[in-house]
Amino acid sequence: MSDDTVPLPDVGSRSTGDIQAVARTAQILALFGPSRPTLTVAQGATLLGLNRTTTNRYFMSLVAAELLERCPDQQASFQPSRLLYQLGAFALGRQQVTEIAPPVMRDLSADAHLTVAMALWGAGGPVVVHVEQHVTWGAAVTVRVGHQLASDAAQTQVFLAFHPDRFAIERLLGTVPGAQREDLNERAEQVRAGGIGSTTTSAGVRILAAPVFGARGLAATIAVIGTATALAPGSAAREESLLTAAAMRLTDLMGGTWPLPVPDAVAGPESGTA
């Protein structure tokens, strides 16, 4: 073994079948790091103590599962896939924004008298990760944490407009029919211009969503949720202003830059911009 050999997770003498395959996958992925961003089958075989045929079979299975991909300029070398980088960024972003956002979301919920939800981009699209629920007369319009948002959801519209990984966006758009895809692209253009995504469900629930930017671009989305009456188009200017102000405040706390026009109602020293 060379000095580059890294400690590997213990497979365990009793690991068999699927459990052993999962453990071996963890061993292979653990080989990658800042000092070893790419790996050939031969290098992997040496580090794992396996023969090349077995190692190649594992590598090909991980490519098929979209956990590894061939390097564009070196087809004999492999690197972690876009999916793994996406999940890594998701985990890091989630840790930071979920620590910073709750107090801001609580203030927004109290000021707007509406439920507020935050979503992050997961492996298959936006996922709700935190909710500040507002209850009125014993009832609440809300959404559960862990809910996978639909392709036409208000917060999804914001991700379609501002997500920096266009590969991930194209993959999501590829799952919807052509006519619906055109509609989603039109909505994304509107969000890029105005900064607010919106939708009304068949159950009479209306959602308004805004982006939160970090140092590397879009970090999350936040949304206010209420009845179609409470957030009726054309009469929800106050709620849109409060939502935008909260999104700008979070952007500032995340070290991001607000790239959208600042509404007059939220401009000033308390808006979170310099």
Side-chain angles (χ1 to χ4, degrees), residues 185-244:
N185 283 323
E186 289 179 4
R187 293 193 189 188
E189 286 296 331
Q190 294 170 0
V191 174
R192 271 189 283 271
I196 298 290
S198 64
T199 190
T200 303
T201 72
S202 58
V205 175
R206 185 162 173 80
I207 303 97
L208 304 177
V212 174
F213 298 96
R216 297 183 178 180
L218 185 67
T221 60
I222 57 172
V224 290
I225 305 170
T227 64
T229 301
L231 292 175
S235 61
R238 176 178 178 275
E239 289 77 11
E240 288 187 14
S241 176
L242 290 170
L243 174 62
T244 300

XYZ file of all heavy atoms in Angstrom, residues 185-244:
408
model
N -41.557 27.032 -17.876
C -40.517 27.962 -18.318
C -41.024 29.402 -18.329
O -40.297 30.332 -17.967
C -40.018 27.572 -19.714
C -39.068 26.391 -19.682
O -38.268 26.263 -18.756
N -39.144 25.531 -20.692
N -42.294 29.585 -18.715
C -42.886 30.926 -18.721
C -42.995 31.466 -17.289
O -42.692 32.635 -17.035
C -44.257 30.892 -19.376
C -44.219 30.674 -20.884
C -45.605 30.623 -21.488
O -46.591 30.840 -20.736
O -45.724 30.373 -22.707
N -43.417 30.594 -16.378
C -43.525 31.022 -14.981
C -42.152 31.375 -14.413
O -42.013 32.336 -13.643
C -44.165 29.918 -14.142
C -45.611 29.625 -14.471
C -46.229 28.762 -13.400
N -47.546 28.269 -13.763
C -48.350 27.612 -12.938
N -47.958 27.369 -11.703
N -49.528 27.193 -13.335
N -41.138 30.593 -14.767
C -39.780 30.860 -14.285
C -39.301 32.219 -14.768
O -38.651 32.968 -14.025
C -38.829 29.752 -14.740
N -39.618 32.575 -16.015
C -39.253 33.883 -16.547
C -39.916 34.997 -15.753
O -39.314 36.034 -15.465
C -39.633 33.977 -18.028
C -38.738 33.193 -18.958
C -37.309 33.704 -18.965
O -37.106 34.918 -18.728
O -36.389 32.896 -19.174
N -41.174 34.784 -15.384
C -41.890 35.782 -14.598
C -41.260 35.948 -13.214
O -41.146 37.061 -12.696
C -43.364 35.379 -14.464
C -44.127 35.402 -15.783
C -45.514 34.785 -15.677
O -45.923 34.326 -14.605
N -46.242 34.762 -16.782
N -40.835 34.825 -12.622
C -40.192 34.886 -11.305
C -38.849 35.597 -11.402
O -38.481 36.383 -10.518
C -40.011 33.468 -10.724
C -39.220 33.521 -9.418
C -41.372 32.808 -10.487
N -38.097 35.339 -12.473
C -36.807 36.015 -12.646
C -36.984 37.531 -12.729
O -36.120 38.295 -12.305
C -36.095 35.507 -13.903
C -35.221 34.292 -13.650
C -34.375 33.955 -14.862
N -35.149 33.291 -15.903
C -35.316 31.967 -15.985
N -34.769 31.178 -15.077
N -36.025 31.444 -16.964
N -38.110 37.959 -13.274
C -38.368 39.391 -13.411
C -38.891 40.010 -12.124
O -38.501 41.127 -11.760
C -39.361 39.637 -14.541
N -39.770 39.300 -11.420
C -40.421 39.882 -10.260
C -39.998 39.336 -8.916
O -40.246 39.962 -7.880
N -39.393 38.143 -8.911
C -38.892 37.581 -7.660
C -39.890 36.796 -6.846
O -39.536 36.243 -5.801
N -41.139 36.686 -7.286
C -42.170 35.978 -6.520
C -42.792 34.876 -7.363
O -43.260 35.116 -8.483
C -43.291 36.943 -6.059
C -42.733 38.020 -5.121
C -44.408 36.162 -5.354
C -42.310 37.508 -3.766
N -42.807 33.654 -6.821
C -43.531 32.558 -7.430
C -44.881 32.421 -6.758
O -45.026 32.743 -5.574
N -45.886 31.967 -7.476
C -47.221 31.853 -6.877
C -47.992 30.705 -7.507
O -47.778 30.368 -8.676
C -48.000 33.159 -7.058
O -48.217 33.415 -8.434
N -48.874 30.135 -6.711
C -49.765 29.100 -7.220
C -50.989 28.998 -6.312
O -50.921 29.360 -5.125
C -49.051 27.729 -7.286
O -49.864 26.800 -7.991
C -48.774 27.181 -5.898
N -52.083 28.532 -6.882
C -53.305 28.290 -6.113
C -53.729 26.855 -6.356
O -53.864 26.424 -7.505
C -54.434 29.237 -6.547
O -54.003 30.594 -6.403
C -55.682 29.015 -5.691
N -53.925 26.110 -5.267
C -54.274 24.701 -5.401
C -55.767 24.527 -5.624
O -56.564 25.453 -5.430
C -53.872 23.919 -4.139
O -54.762 24.264 -3.059
C -52.442 24.233 -3.732
N -56.153 23.325 -6.022
C -57.571 23.025 -6.243
C -58.361 23.069 -4.942
O -59.586 23.193 -4.959
C -57.714 21.638 -6.883
O -57.122 20.645 -6.065
N -57.656 23.001 -3.809
C -58.323 23.050 -2.501
C -58.501 24.480 -1.999
O -58.965 24.699 -0.881
C -57.533 22.235 -1.477
N -58.104 25.475 -2.836
C -58.286 26.864 -2.428
C -57.177 27.397 -1.547
O -57.384 28.358 -0.790
N -55.999 26.793 -1.622
C -54.836 27.268 -0.868
C -53.922 28.013 -1.833
O -53.612 27.522 -2.926
C -54.069 26.092 -0.217
C -52.797 26.587 0.458
C -54.969 25.373 0.779
N -53.490 29.201 -1.423
C -52.591 29.997 -2.270
C -51.233 30.126 -1.587
O -51.147 30.336 -0.370
C -53.182 31.376 -2.552
C -52.341 32.199 -3.540
C -53.132 33.328 -4.121
N -52.305 34.223 -4.946
C -51.946 33.973 -6.200
N -52.341 32.840 -6.774
N -51.210 34.826 -6.876
N -50.161 30.012 -2.384
C -48.799 30.073 -1.879
C -48.018 31.113 -2.664
O -48.081 31.149 -3.896
C -48.089 28.696 -2.006
C -48.880 27.607 -1.272
C -46.674 28.772 -1.450
C -49.773 26.797 -2.164
N -47.289 31.952 -1.951
C -46.366 32.910 -2.542
C -44.968 32.543 -2.076
O -44.756 32.295 -0.886
C -46.695 34.343 -2.109
C -48.113 34.856 -2.389
C -48.270 36.266 -1.837
C -48.411 34.823 -3.879
N -43.990 32.514 -2.979
C -42.639 32.068 -2.633
C -41.596 33.057 -3.128
O -41.789 33.733 -4.142
C -42.369 30.688 -3.230
N -40.476 33.130 -2.401
C -39.385 34.038 -2.753
C -38.050 33.335 -2.552
O -37.937 32.398 -1.750
C -39.450 35.303 -1.901
N -37.009 33.776 -3.269
C -35.697 33.135 -3.155
C -34.881 33.663 -1.977
O -35.035 34.811 -1.550
C -35.025 33.513 -4.480
C -35.608 34.859 -4.809
C -37.033 34.813 -4.317
N -34.001 32.809 -1.475
C -32.994 33.192 -0.485
C -31.634 32.858 -1.094
O -31.391 31.708 -1.456
C -33.177 32.441 0.846
C -32.023 32.756 1.801
C -34.513 32.792 1.490
N -30.769 33.855 -1.215
C -29.476 33.656 -1.856
C -28.362 33.576 -0.817
O -28.364 34.317 0.171
C -29.182 34.797 -2.831
C -30.171 34.889 -3.959
C -31.257 35.758 -3.876
C -30.041 34.102 -5.087
C -32.181 35.843 -4.912
C -30.959 34.165 -6.128
C -32.033 35.042 -6.033
N -27.423 32.658 -1.064
C -26.227 32.567 -0.246
C -25.026 33.041 -1.039
O -25.159 33.592 -2.132
N -23.843 32.787 -0.493
C -22.620 33.246 -1.144
C -22.414 32.595 -2.505
O -21.755 33.159 -3.381
C -21.421 32.968 -0.241
N -23.007 31.415 -2.718
C -22.829 30.696 -3.980
C -24.093 30.671 -4.831
O -24.245 29.821 -5.695
C -22.359 29.272 -3.695
C -21.005 29.205 -3.004
C -20.546 27.784 -2.817
N -19.228 27.719 -2.193
C -18.581 26.595 -1.917
N -19.150 25.432 -2.223
N -17.402 26.628 -1.337
N -25.004 31.577 -4.568
C -26.232 31.616 -5.356
C -27.436 31.203 -4.539
O -27.438 31.316 -3.300
N -28.458 30.710 -5.204
C -29.696 30.342 -4.529
C -29.436 29.296 -3.450
O -28.838 28.250 -3.708
C -30.702 29.791 -5.539
C -32.093 29.465 -4.991
C -32.818 30.736 -4.566
C -32.918 28.711 -6.030
N -29.884 29.587 -2.225
C -29.662 28.680 -1.097
C -30.941 27.974 -0.672
O -30.899 26.829 -0.209
C -29.081 29.446 0.095
N -32.080 28.643 -0.793
C -33.349 28.088 -0.325
C -34.479 28.952 -0.874
O -34.245 29.976 -1.529
C -33.398 28.066 1.202
N -35.701 28.524 -0.594
C -36.869 29.351 -0.883
C -37.738 29.392 0.361
O -37.772 28.430 1.135
C -37.703 28.793 -2.056
O -38.161 27.476 -1.724
C -36.872 28.731 -3.327
N -38.412 30.501 0.564
C -39.394 30.590 1.645
C -40.724 30.985 1.034
O -40.776 31.656 -0.001
C -38.990 31.573 2.754
C -38.755 32.983 2.185
C -37.757 31.086 3.505
C -38.550 34.039 3.267
N -41.805 30.561 1.687
C -43.136 30.810 1.151
C -44.115 31.106 2.266
O -43.982 30.593 3.387
C -43.622 29.597 0.355
N -45.097 31.939 1.951
C -46.236 32.147 2.856
C -47.410 31.368 2.282
O -47.603 31.311 1.059
C -46.584 33.639 3.016
C -45.507 34.353 3.809
C -46.779 34.323 1.669
N -48.182 30.760 3.172
C -49.270 29.860 2.772
C -50.561 30.317 3.438
O -50.611 30.494 4.658
C -48.959 28.409 3.189
C -47.603 27.979 2.630
C -50.059 27.464 2.728
C -47.114 26.652 3.193
N -51.588 30.521 2.636
C -52.873 30.933 3.184
C -53.998 30.538 2.255
O -53.800 29.811 1.276
N -55.165 31.022 2.536
C -56.303 30.734 1.670
C -56.232 31.603 0.421
O -55.566 32.648 0.396
C -57.626 31.003 2.391
O -57.711 32.398 2.691
C -57.716 30.192 3.686
N -56.928 31.180 -0.611
C -56.966 31.955 -1.846
C -57.602 33.316 -1.617
O -57.319 34.279 -2.335
C -57.746 31.180 -2.913
N -58.450 33.411 -0.604
C -59.075 34.694 -0.274
C -58.079 35.623 0.401
O -57.963 36.802 0.055
C -60.287 34.485 0.649
O -61.239 33.634 0.003
C -60.938 35.817 1.002
N -57.316 35.078 1.364
C -56.355 35.886 2.104
C -55.221 36.386 1.224
O -54.683 37.485 1.436
C -55.797 35.089 3.277
N -54.841 35.586 0.210
C -53.723 35.944 -0.670
C -54.192 36.119 -2.109
O -53.487 35.767 -3.052
C -52.646 34.853 -0.601
C -51.900 34.727 0.726
C -50.963 33.530 0.698
C -51.115 36.005 1.034
N -55.362 36.686 -2.282
C -55.932 36.849 -3.620
C -55.027 37.713 -4.491
O -54.478 38.716 -4.026
C -57.311 37.492 -3.523
N -54.827 37.313 -5.752
C -54.008 38.113 -6.674
C -54.515 39.543 -6.753
O -55.713 39.793 -6.863
C -54.185 37.394 -8.014
C -54.529 35.982 -7.640
C -55.359 36.098 -6.394
N -53.581 40.486 -6.647
C -53.959 41.887 -6.728
C -54.266 42.525 -5.393
O -54.375 43.747 -5.297
N -54.420 41.714 -4.350
C -54.742 42.286 -3.035
C -53.827 41.745 -1.942
O -54.170 41.798 -0.767
C -56.203 41.992 -2.673
O -56.436 40.592 -2.605
N -52.669 41.207 -2.328
C -51.742 40.645 -1.349
C -50.414 41.390 -1.357
O -49.361 40.818 -1.086
C -51.515 39.159 -1.628
N -50.468 42.703 -1.651
C -49.242 43.488 -1.732
C -48.491 43.514 -0.405
O -47.260 43.449 -0.372
C -49.571 44.911 -2.185
N -49.237 43.614 0.693
C -48.586 43.644 2.012
C -47.856 42.342 2.274
O -46.707 42.338 2.744
C -49.628 43.901 3.108
C -49.054 43.865 4.528
C -50.113 44.172 5.577
N -49.567 44.079 6.927
C -49.464 42.946 7.629
N -49.897 41.809 7.068
N -48.954 42.947 8.838
N -48.523 41.220 1.999
C -47.906 39.918 2.244
C -46.688 39.704 1.341
O -45.662 39.168 1.778
C -48.933 38.805 2.010
C -50.030 38.722 3.061
C -51.109 39.791 2.900
O -51.122 40.474 1.845
O -51.923 39.963 3.825
N -46.769 40.144 0.084
C -45.620 40.030 -0.817
C -44.452 40.873 -0.309
O -43.292 40.453 -0.382
C -46.017 40.481 -2.227
C -46.926 39.512 -2.951
C -47.158 39.924 -4.399
O -46.402 40.793 -4.881
O -48.078 39.378 -5.033
N -44.766 42.054 0.218
C -43.727 42.934 0.738
C -43.044 42.306 1.962
O -41.811 42.332 2.082
C -44.326 44.290 1.114
O -43.368 45.137 1.699
N -43.843 41.740 2.866
C -43.279 41.090 4.048
C -42.431 39.881 3.654
O -41.353 39.646 4.226
C -44.409 40.655 4.989
C -45.159 41.778 5.713
C -46.401 41.216 6.423
C -44.243 42.462 6.723
N -42.908 39.112 2.685
C -42.166 37.944 2.223
C -40.828 38.357 1.607
O -39.778 37.765 1.907
C -43.003 37.182 1.186
C -42.329 36.004 0.480
C -41.945 34.912 1.476
C -43.244 35.440 -0.609
N -40.856 39.375 0.760
C -39.623 39.843 0.126
C -38.641 40.375 1.155
O -37.434 40.108 1.087
C -39.939 40.948 -0.907
O -40.815 40.428 -1.899
C -38.665 41.446 -1.571
